[in-house]
Amino acid sequence: MRVLICQDAETAALRTADQLCDQVQARPDCVLGLATGETMEPVYALLRTRIATRQLNLLQVTTFNLDEYVGLPKGHPESYRATMQRLLFDSAGLPEKQIHLPDGDAPDLVAAAANYEAAIRAAGGIDLQLLGIGENGHIGFNEPTSSLGSRTRVKTLTQSTRKANARFFSNNGEAPLFAITMGIATVLDARCCILLATGPKKAAAIAAAIEGPVSAVCPASALQLHPAATIILDPEAATELKLQSYYKTVHPSGGDALF
Ligand code: F6R
């Protein structure tokens, strides 16, 4: 696990965007796993700028988002599909057939989940998976006690997640109770995972994920099992890490390892 503690949240987003751009440069037709949430917004803003200035071309990539709410009609402004269109897909000019999100509006959600897994396999698997983390340690919408062997399926959201996400809903009302999300095993299948966390609210979850036991109680701790996981942090998200000074020695200023 590479733990990069950057000088501030801006630098952490920059480092995340750089890693994604490096992946696309190495393989323009790569498969990207994408996340939504406030933490990712500065990353997508950087990508939009790079697309506008022709430093980045996403036209050949295939994307799979981690999750989608259940029961929001297609085109609902707070759906993750609409959010991703606004934040990235419209600027990237990505052809529709290369964009994938779980279908939270499907009449048969079990079949939709199985189809999503099949589509990821058919695309050759995910090269790089972007992740945020919930205050309760969730990745995607794999809430605490999600099986570490889980695959794409419907999950019931916890009250704390619904409360945290209520801010995205225009009436500041309720976030939906259910979501369809890649499972933890689905995430671990990605060839490379990058988790970005910023701000003090994420400090406890980050400490549990990196330095706690591998446990379904903290789904992000499953990344300890991944051979190529990078955790990118700002100082606030890193405050509860006991081995902070070690991580800073290995990756000075959150940069490349000395060795
Ligand atoms: C969303 C997702 C979630 C978020 C997490 C953090 O696609 O997968 O796991 O990454 O809830 O959200 P923010 O960044 O809003 O704190």
Side-chain angles (χ1 to χ4, degrees):
M1 207 177 220
R2 299 193 316 148
V3 181
L4 313 183
I5 304 175
C6 301
Q7 68 188 39
D8 52 29
E10 212 173 45
T11 315
L14 191 63
R15 185 121 187 105
T16 306
D18 284 347
Q19 303 243 335
L20 189 139
C21 292
D22 287 350
Q23 169 67 60
V24 176
Q25 198 166 13
R27 213 190 118 201
D29 62 347
C30 65
V31 180
L32 298 176
L34 300 176
T36 49
E38 200 172 341
T39 315
M40 290 301 151
E41 290 185 11
V43 177
Y44 295 137
L46 286 163
L47 297 182
R48 289 196 303 275
T49 303
R50 292 178 192 189
I51 289 165
T53 53
R54 298 184 192 276
Q55 300 168 74
L56 174 67
N57 180 338
L58 292 180
L59 285 174
Q60 292 182 60
V61 306
T62 296
T63 66
F64 287 89
N65 265 79
L66 281 165
D67 40 23
E68 178 59 283
Y69 290 116
V70 165
L72 296 186
K74 285 203 170 51
H76 189 288
E78 276 91 31
S79 68
Y80 283 167
R81 172 64 194 232
T83 304
M84 287 305 301
Q85 285 296 149
R86 270 194 314 273
L87 291 178
L88 186 65
F89 299 152
D90 287 343
S91 316
L94 258 181
E96 180 75 26
K97 64 177 188 336
Q98 288 160 228
I99 297 172
H100 305 83
L101 284 94
D103 185 358
D105 195 35
D108 182 345
L109 292 166
V110 174
N115 291 342
Y116 204 62
E117 288 282 329
I120 295 172
R121 278 196 303 277
I126 292 171
D127 292 303
L128 184 155
Q129 177 67 57
L130 275 188
L131 296 161
I133 186 170
E135 289 171 43
N136 63 7
H138 72 219
I139 47 173
F141 274 139
N142 294 285
E143 298 284 35
T145 71
S146 288
S147 162
L148 302 186
S150 52
R151 295 272 161 197
T152 303
R153 72 220 180 286
V154 173
K155 282 297 291 181
T156 305
L157 302 183
T158 61
Q159 199 47 40
S160 69
T161 298
R162 294 178 76 203
K163 212 170 135 208
N165 287 9
R167 68 193 191 281
F168 295 116
F169 285 78
S170 45
N171 54 2
N172 206 21
E174 299 257 282
L177 179 57
F178 301 108
I180 179 164
T181 178
M182 280 186 202
I184 296 175
T186 320
V187 169
L188 293 180
D189 276 351
R191 286 182 267 281
C192 155
C193 288
I194 297 179
L195 187 150
L196 171 65
T198 53
K201 286 187 185 163
K202 301 297 170 68
I206 281 298
I210 297 175
E211 296 177 345
V214 174
S215 161
V217 169
C218 178
S221 67
L223 292 173
Q224 293 176 32
L225 300 170
H226 195 284
T230 300
I231 316 291
I232 304 182
L233 305 171
D234 72 349
E236 290 183 321
T239 44
E240 293 191 30
L241 289 171
K242 291 196 178 71
L243 297 178
Q244 257 192 78
S245 66
Y246 174 64
Y247 309 133
K248 287 177 180 165
T249 304
V250 180
H251 293 282
S253 309
D256 290 332
L258 291 174
F259 184 73

